[in-house]
Amino acid sequence: MINPFRPYRARLRRLVGRSMPDFHAGAVERWEEAPGSVLRFHPSLALPGQVERIKASVFASLPATIEALTRDGEAAEAPTMAWRFRDVDLVDGVLYHGAAELHLNRRKRKFGLALRPRQAIRGALYETWATNRWFGSWLMDALVASQLAQTTGMAMTTAPAPRPGSHAARYEELAGVHPGRIAGDVHFDEMVLFDDLGNNLSKGLRQRALRLQLLAGRDPAPVPGVFLLRGTGGDLRLLQNETELAERLAAERGFLVMDPLKATADELIEACGAARAIVGVEGSHLAHGIMVAPPGAAIVPIQPPERVAATLKQLADRLEQRFALLVAEGGDSLFTLDWRDLAATLDLFD
């Protein structure tokens, strides 16, 4: 049953300035689920001066982000790891084991304390803080990691059941993901965690298999490209001339323009499944297109100069697509992009 003092112990350690122990060091067993790989990477296609426009990055340091976007040659990718634990408490979105803690969700209660004991369970979790925070991370990482958890026969998640008819609900249905749902505080007699962040060969194979699952039974029509609108949805990253760029792509290059907030998952899959290019402001909504676009497709995220990220390139690399580095001008939430830069970047793929 839940030990109500574990959250106190973790907080006391921080208050007195003691370092937090490594959560994974407390596992009773660890193993390599899939080996690391040395993979061949191609640099992003870019116009001169794009790297110089980058002012700041997210999810990784600026040097690491630029390296991931521009690397040319072989690079080692980490293995997929698994850990087995015993006697773990999940309290208000945080896992506690001994004096260590691992956050999966934002705390909802002020003190994060266990309210009442629950029946002990066994489970294999395939989520992370990032996949619970951002839809794009869930779509590009949790869905492929769920395949690992399902092989244990005890796949579980703290994420609530998605709303019927939502994108997430449809993707779970198409991918055959049916996890147990954890509601509230629980105690794990046994728990398995996975680290599936490495962009290794195994993850690439699972990603490509998922693409085939999403496209099964469909015959999407080839199109020059799809522009996925972001607008003001999600965290504010507003391309101030987004409408102008979308309209020119449609009129001059035959692109489809779609608003993911107004389209079903099936409509997005059908539109993007044979698209030669996926374009839009960098963000979760682009994962709809990248997940199903064919090998060789041009992936062109429009990066805010103060919020450049390389995560979508990792997904494109797994799916053998080509990637562009295209940086707008402005800040992290309000920015613009010259049409000539967009058009010239797309021409790099011809």
Side-chain angles (χ1 to χ4, degrees):
M1 306 302 281
I2 288 177
N3 180 343
F5 297 104
R6 279 178 170 166
Y8 279 124
R9 289 164 58 187
R11 293 191 178 198
L12 283 173
R13 289 183 71 93
R14 287 195 296 272
L15 286 174
V16 299
R18 296 184 62 185
S19 61
M20 297 299 295
D22 176 16
F23 188 91
H24 295 88
V28 297
E29 183 184 4
R30 68 188 295 271
W31 65 92
E32 191 176 273
E33 189 76 20
S37 308
V38 175
L39 301 178
R40 178 71 169 86
F41 292 93
H42 300 281
S44 305
L45 295 181
L47 301 172
Q50 292 300 301
V51 171
E52 289 72 23
R53 286 187 182 181
I54 301 174
K55 300 175 183 177
S57 62
V58 290
F59 306 127
S61 68
L62 184 57
T65 298
I66 293 174
E67 194 277 331
L69 290 167
T70 61
R71 69 170 57 139
D72 185 4
E74 293 185 338
E77 288 291 336
T80 298
M81 299 299 299
W83 292 266
R84 189 185 310 278
F85 300 83
R86 294 196 178 97
D87 188 26
V88 178
D89 293 334
L90 173 64
V91 179
D92 198 21
V94 182
L95 293 171
Y96 294 96
H97 184 251
E101 63 181 25
L102 181 67
H103 290 246
L104 297 180
N105 291 282
R106 292 177 176 174
R107 288 191 175 105
K108 296 180 180 179
R109 304 197 295 269
K110 184 175 181 180
F111 297 105
L113 304 181
L115 297 181
R116 58 187 182 278
R118 295 290 182 91
Q119 182 178 1
I121 62 173
R122 299 169 65 246
L125 303 180
Y126 56 89
E127 64 198 279
T128 67
W129 168 270
T131 63
N132 285 331
R133 171 65 177 83
W134 290 285
F135 174 77
S137 294
W138 176 84
L139 190 57
M140 63 184 281
D141 288 321
L143 279 187
V144 290
S146 69
Q147 300 172 32
L148 304 174
Q150 289 182 139
T151 63
T152 69
M154 51 183 190
M156 304 194 81
T157 179
T158 65
R163 177 177 51 81
S166 66
H167 291 153
R170 183 57 173 152
Y171 281 119
E172 284 195 340
E173 179 184 1
L174 293 170
V177 176
H178 305 289
R181 304 281 178 182
I182 301 170
D185 303 334
V186 297
H187 176 85
F188 288 96
D189 282 339
E190 179 185 6
M191 182 187 70
V192 176
L193 291 179
F194 297 94
D195 179 351
D196 195 34
L197 292 180
N199 216 23
N200 55 54
L201 179 60
S202 169
K203 189 170 185 178
L205 291 173
R206 283 181 278 122
Q207 192 80 61
R208 292 193 283 277
L210 176 60
R211 177 180 181 270
L212 293 177
Q213 279 183 269
L214 297 177
L215 288 170
R218 306 177 194 271
D219 187 20
V223 292
V226 179
F227 189 100
L228 294 172
L229 297 167
R230 180 176 180 88
T232 56
D235 297 337
L236 182 62
R237 292 199 290 280
L238 181 61
L239 176 61
Q240 293 176 291
N241 60 334
E242 181 181 59
T243 300
E244 173 201 339
L245 296 177
E247 289 176 349
R248 291 195 68 168
L249 283 175
E252 299 180 24
R253 304 219 172 195
F255 270 53
L256 298 179
V257 177
M258 299 188 72
D259 182 347
L261 294 178
K262 298 178 181 178
T264 67
D266 290 284
E267 290 169 339
L268 291 164
I269 292 169
E270 292 281 356
C272 300
R276 293 196 290 274
I278 303 294
V279 181
V281 175
E282 196 282 334
S284 291
H285 64 300
L286 287 191
H288 288 292
I290 304 172
M291 289 274 289
V292 295
I299 307 302
V300 188
I302 300 168
Q303 304 265 9
E306 296 180 358
R307 196 192 180 282
V308 173
T311 49
L312 292 178
K313 186 176 191 300
Q314 296 174 348
L315 176 59
D317 286 340
R318 292 199 290 274
L319 290 166
E320 301 176 318
Q321 297 158 344
R322 300 174 297 167
F323 200 85
L325 175 59
L326 179 58
V327 184
E329 296 180 283
D332 63 341
S333 57
L334 297 174
F335 44 91
T336 60
L337 179 70
D338 192 302
W339 161 254
R340 292 169 295 182
D341 288 345
L342 176 56
T345 297
L346 287 169
D347 289 342
L348 295 174
F349 291 92
D350 292 340

